[in-house]
Amino acid sequence: MIKLPEKLYQQLLEHVQDEFPNEGCGLVAGVIADEEIEVKEVYTMTNLDASAEHFTMDPKEQFAVVKEVRNKGYDLIGNYHSHPFTPSRPSEEDKRLAYDEEAIYFILSLKDEEPVLKAFSIKEQKKVTQIEIELI
């Protein structure tokens, strides 16, 4: 179970809506305790690809965020990106590029009137497991 504060969900949502029609992306940090994960920070990143179909995060921004996450004593939970025109599920490219089996991949679909956020664990670049998100 992932606990996501409403204000952080809104921050994430506003970011990907601002990036539309391109994919928005970023990193997610927080606290991992047993089977429960609490999101404490959402870090918006630049999509260097400026594409509606894929993203590449700016490495300089990533390093700065990792340093800040460590300084705050949080865990780097994973990353997020939007699917402007497709459902909230990992694409074949998402699965192929999922090298970190410990990371959680948050995908926010904007294809319907109501945005849909889902989170996934991707093992061996194939086995996809959805993780429940609770807005708090």
Side-chain angles (χ1 to χ4, degrees):
M1 164 85 62
I2 300 169
K3 293 189 175 211
L4 176 62
E6 180 73 37
K7 70 176 185 163
L8 295 179
Y9 169 73
Q10 289 301 322
Q11 178 185 341
L12 191 156
L13 177 61
E14 288 172 17
H15 174 237
V16 301
Q17 287 174 328
D18 288 346
E19 295 298 314
F20 187 86
N22 293 326
E23 288 190 2
C25 58
L27 296 174
V28 179
V31 178
I32 301 172
D34 298 320
E35 295 296 313
E36 192 169 286
I37 298 166
E38 185 173 351
V39 177
K40 298 287 193 179
E41 298 280 349
V42 171
Y43 296 93
T44 61
M45 306 290 284
T46 302
N47 178 356
L48 295 176
D49 295 336
S51 168
E53 297 176 358
H54 48 87
F55 69 96
T56 300
M57 292 184 201
D58 183 321
K60 289 179 184 177
E61 292 177 355
Q62 285 180 292
F63 288 127
V65 166
V66 169
K67 184 177 180 180
E68 183 175 331
V69 167
R70 287 183 183 153
N71 287 340
K72 289 185 173 185
Y74 294 150
D75 299 302
L76 187 59
I77 295 169
N79 65 59
Y80 74 86
H81 71 281
S82 60
H83 282 185
F85 305 105
T86 58
S88 180
R89 64 175 177 254
S91 66
E92 289 305 312
E93 181 174 288
D94 292 337
K95 290 187 269 189
R96 184 175 51 80
L97 296 175
Y99 294 110
D100 185 351
E101 293 192 3
E102 300 302 313
I104 295 173
Y105 300 89
F106 295 81
I107 301 174
L108 182 63
S109 174
L110 300 175
K111 81 174 199 70
D112 297 320
E113 189 173 317
E114 189 67 32
V116 176
L117 177 65
K118 293 183 181 178
F120 302 91
S121 166
I122 304 174
K123 306 288 184 191
E124 300 171 9
Q125 300 177 339
K126 297 176 194 165
K127 184 179 175 194
V128 177
T129 305
Q130 186 172 336
I131 303 167
E132 185 179 348
I133 300 173
E134 176 187 357
L135 290 180
I136 57 172

